[in-house]
Amino acid sequence: MDTFQNFDCTKHLNMLKSALCQITKYEEIKTPSFEAAQAYYNVGKLEECEQVVLELQKNDMVTKAVKKLQQNIQIQKLQISEGKYDYKSMVEEAKVNFVVKCQNYVNPNIEIREAGNKRFGYFAKSKIEMGTKLIVEKAFLIAEQQQMFQQLLVKDQLKDSQMAQYKALRGGDISLSFFNLQEKYSKNGFSSFPRLEDELKKDSLKLEVLTLSSCTINHSCLPNAYWYFIGDVQFIITQRQIEENEQIFLQYVDPSQVTFVKQPDEIRRLFGFECECEMCKNMTQQQRAEISKLTIHLEMKIKAQDKDGATQNDISSVEDICKRVVKIFDESCARRSALLHYYTELSYVLQTSGNISNIRKAIDVGIKALESFGIDGAQARIGQLVMIPNAKHYMNFQAVGAILNILSFCFIVSKGEVKNWLKVLEQVFYKVTGGCDDYKYFLKNRLEISGVK
Ligand SMILES: C[S@@+](CC[C@H](N)C(=O)[O-])C[C@H]1O[C@@H](n2cnc3c(N)ncnc32)[C@H](O)[C@@H]1O
């Protein structure tokens, strides 16, 4: 594993370039080489990798490295055929060192295709169930966020205009070098806490991670997949059912930190492109301005409630805002996401006020949300909120509870009194996620980390 102290930038840039060329089919691979095989392996394209290895065998080019690669292919095949990753041992490993042993995997039901203005993207070849692993991928490059820019060697001096552009994208005072690689980070990188418990600590290790497969997934403000990391391994999971030929989308910004109205601005600021997702395309400027006003209003309400707990009037007023939001979004696919956002916020505030009667109200709010939008919208929301590692909302049990309130309506509240809250949370979580191992494991882990037994 390279660190940035002894980092051979040319080698990595070349590897990166060749791998990106291959996965996005910019260039055909003309001559079989170990690098080509390794690049396929890196992005989980085992068949292609084996093909290249076969060519190498034919040409009598089997080196030690190729043999090792062959072994790895066999191990990975076995692992994939079992469809399992040992999360527990991976998490344990990540506690000691965030570099975790793991084989890459790309779900055979997805493939890279041209995606109009967005160039390339991943698409579903056939229907994919919610909670399905799409990609499991070890980071290609990884760097501590604070140190990365200082540690890069200054090779080419950037023009002022480039520096300004870079600063506008990422902020901070940085001396830039091999700009291309940095640009790759800024456009394609993920931020990650390598250990689950790190998000609870101040000044904890935060990483910039570059992947090769998942970096081809485009952004949507209304995504259908989410990601999380264990150490330097990234998992991409569907957060709802995905139809044949549908494009896979991640949300590049953390939804718990940014309201959906502000997302396009954040996308522009952080990643430097104009969002052209369905939601953004469907929304007019006027609608966006109106929603912004309502959001500010709601934020003020939420702040006020945080202190004293919500009153019936507060709830009515937020509901009023929600109704206005519905009107604005009536024709837009963003409608459901918008309302769930508001309801989730309100539910959270009610719960964290620590007042039992407010918890009841929070459930009522959840009921209203679900009545309007059904379970799949809520599932999408929970996928985002509970699993994305950076979010602060769900660091504690109450916050997880607040989000799950919305879901509890479908399964529990509608059938009777809520007796054992924790059990309910677990049950709801389990049912909503179809018992998916990832969710189950992570909920348990998060609750444990939060000190809830
Ligand atoms: C991580 S890459 C995704 C893969 C990229 N489409 C490609 O072909 O290499 C991010 C880039 O994809 C494009 N992109 C992703 N999501 C987009 C969106 N919602 N609207 C417009 N462009 C998008 C932008 O050019 C962005 O810089």
Side-chain angles (χ1 to χ4, degrees):
M1 165 88 188
D2 285 293
T3 65
F4 273 80
Q5 281 93 344
N6 57 7
F7 190 79
D8 177 352
C9 45
T10 323
K11 184 183 112 194
H12 279 88
L13 261 182
N14 286 342
M15 264 176 81
L16 180 63
K17 227 170 100 187
S18 94
L20 283 175
C21 281
Q22 286 159 30
I23 59 172
T24 51
K25 300 195 179 88
Y26 298 147
E27 280 174 15
E28 290 296 317
I29 305 168
K30 303 238 163 55
T31 41
S33 65
F34 167 71
E35 284 72 24
Q38 181 72 51
Y40 275 137
Y41 180 80
N42 282 344
V43 297
K45 294 198 161 221
L46 290 188
E47 271 177 32
E48 287 85 344
C49 175
E50 274 191 308
Q51 200 60 40
V52 179
V53 169
L54 257 163
E55 292 292 319
L56 291 174
Q57 275 175 337
K58 267 195 229 157
N59 297 339
D60 228 5
M61 289 164 67
V62 180
T63 58
K64 244 182 168 178
V66 174
K67 276 190 187 148
K68 180 84 191 139
L69 192 60
Q70 274 177 312
Q71 274 173 10
N72 285 343
I73 296 170
Q74 293 318 317
I75 295 171
Q76 182 166 1
K77 275 186 154 176
L78 189 72
Q79 197 169 34
I80 291 167
S81 69
E82 289 170 356
K84 284 215 158 82
Y85 286 88
D86 185 352
Y87 301 107
K88 200 165 174 205
S89 71
M90 285 169 78
V91 169
E92 290 308 311
E93 215 176 327
K95 281 182 190 165
V96 183
N97 175 359
F98 63 79
V99 180
V100 171
K101 275 189 246 80
C102 172
Q103 299 299 321
N104 286 351
Y105 166 71
V106 176
N107 191 308
N109 280 331
I110 60 170
E111 67 182 3
I112 294 171
R113 294 183 194 161
E114 291 201 16
N117 288 350
K118 304 183 189 88
R119 289 203 320 170
F120 292 92
Y122 263 107
F123 289 79
K125 289 199 252 178
S126 54
K127 191 171 102 178
I128 301 175
E129 296 301 323
M130 184 187 83
T132 304
K133 282 184 208 80
L134 295 182
I135 295 176
V136 180
E137 185 175 20
K138 259 180 89 69
F140 176 68
L141 289 175
I142 194 157
E144 282 190 40
Q145 223 171 36
Q146 308 307 328
Q147 289 170 20
M148 174 180 149
F149 300 124
Q150 286 128 40
Q151 288 184 8
L152 298 173
L153 299 166
V154 180
K155 268 198 152 184
D156 338 283
Q157 208 49 51
L158 284 179
K159 290 183 203 136
D160 287 349
S161 58
Q162 285 173 308
M163 183 69 103
Q165 186 193 2
Y166 194 84
K167 276 189 184 168
L169 284 180
R170 302 292 282 192
D173 209 9
I174 34 169
S175 58
L176 291 175
S177 63
F178 46 109
F179 187 66
N180 285 345
L181 184 57
Q182 290 206 347
E183 202 183 72
K184 288 283 174 235
Y185 263 109
S186 69
K187 289 215 167 128
N188 301 313
F190 293 87
S191 314
S192 136
F193 285 104
R195 294 172 275 252
L196 281 178
E197 60 268 40
D198 281 352
E199 32 177 301
L200 298 174
K201 290 184 201 144
K202 243 183 159 192
D203 305 324
S204 56
L205 182 68
K206 206 171 175 204
L207 302 172
E208 277 293 295
V209 177
L210 198 59
T211 58
L212 287 179
S213 290
S214 64
C215 77
T216 309
I217 302 180
N218 288 315
H219 161 88
S220 166
C221 297
L222 210 59
N224 49 22
Y226 63 88
W227 81 85
Y228 59 85
F229 279 90
I230 301 181
D232 63 338
V233 177
Q234 185 189 42
F235 288 75
I236 308 268
I237 314 281
T238 55
Q239 63 184 34
R240 63 164 168 78
Q241 182 174 296
I242 297 184
E243 303 305 326
E244 187 178 342
N245 295 327
E246 204 183 329
Q247 191 177 163
I248 313 294
F249 288 109
L250 290 173
Q251 193 163 23
Y252 290 0
V253 291
D254 179 343
S256 74
Q257 307 288 320
V258 190
T259 60
F260 79 101
V261 209
K262 291 183 188 151
Q263 282 193 44
D265 295 339
E266 277 300 275
I267 287 288
R268 192 180 308 113
R269 190 175 75 80
L270 295 171
F271 299 95
F273 66 88
E274 288 300 321
C275 183
E276 291 178 13
C277 75
E278 282 307 303
M279 178 170 131
C280 289
K281 278 198 291 198
N282 285 348
M283 219 189 303
T284 64
Q285 286 298 351
Q286 209 183 355
Q287 283 177 334
R288 205 180 275 287
E290 172 71 0
I291 291 280
S292 284
K293 262 198 260 160
L294 293 176
T295 303
I296 293 167
H297 189 63
L298 179 72
E299 276 167 2
M300 276 160 56
K301 279 249 143 272
I302 284 172
K303 266 197 196 124
Q305 289 160 14
D306 240 341
K307 256 202 201 142
D308 311 319
T311 63
Q312 190 50 51
N313 274 352
D314 291 327
I315 296 174
S316 310
S317 127
V318 175
E319 278 170 2
D320 202 47
I321 294 176
C322 290
K323 277 186 203 137
R324 288 164 63 192
V325 172
V326 176
K327 259 197 176 153
I328 290 175
F329 279 119
D330 223 6
E331 300 301 319
S332 152
C333 69
R335 175 176 176 264
R336 191 167 63 188
S337 169
L339 258 175
L340 273 173
H341 174 82
Y342 287 113
Y343 278 128
T344 310
E345 289 293 339
L346 180 62
S347 179
Y348 170 72
V349 170
L350 290 169
Q351 275 254 329
T352 48
S353 72
N355 174 331
I356 287 291
S357 71
N358 276 347
I359 292 177
R360 271 257 149 266
K361 286 180 197 160
I363 294 174
D364 289 340
V365 169
I367 290 172
K368 285 213 172 86
L370 274 189
E371 275 173 350
S372 319
F373 306 112
I375 192 66
D376 59 330
Q379 277 165 350
R381 191 72 198 154
I382 199 173
Q384 287 166 260
L385 283 174
V386 179
M387 303 308 293
I388 294 180
N390 292 4
K392 293 197 184 81
H393 271 31
Y394 38 87
M395 278 176 182
N396 59 45
F397 150 73
Q398 279 183 326
V400 174
I403 296 159
L404 290 175
N405 271 339
I406 291 184
L407 303 167
S408 59
F409 163 69
C410 264
F411 303 106
I412 313 288
V413 180
S414 59
K415 291 187 194 130
E417 190 62 20
V418 179
K419 288 215 172 82
N420 184 336
W421 192 241
L422 238 196
K423 270 228 139 41
V424 169
L425 288 188
E426 266 172 2
Q427 267 179 32
V428 172
F429 208 75
Y430 185 78
K431 282 188 185 171
V432 163
T433 58
C436 161
D437 280 350
D438 294 15
Y439 280 109
K440 240 182 355 189
Y441 183 74
F442 273 85
L443 175 69
K444 197 166 159 283
N445 221 286
R446 276 174 195 284
L447 291 176
E448 272 169 14
I449 288 166
S450 315
V452 179
K453 293 279 173 283

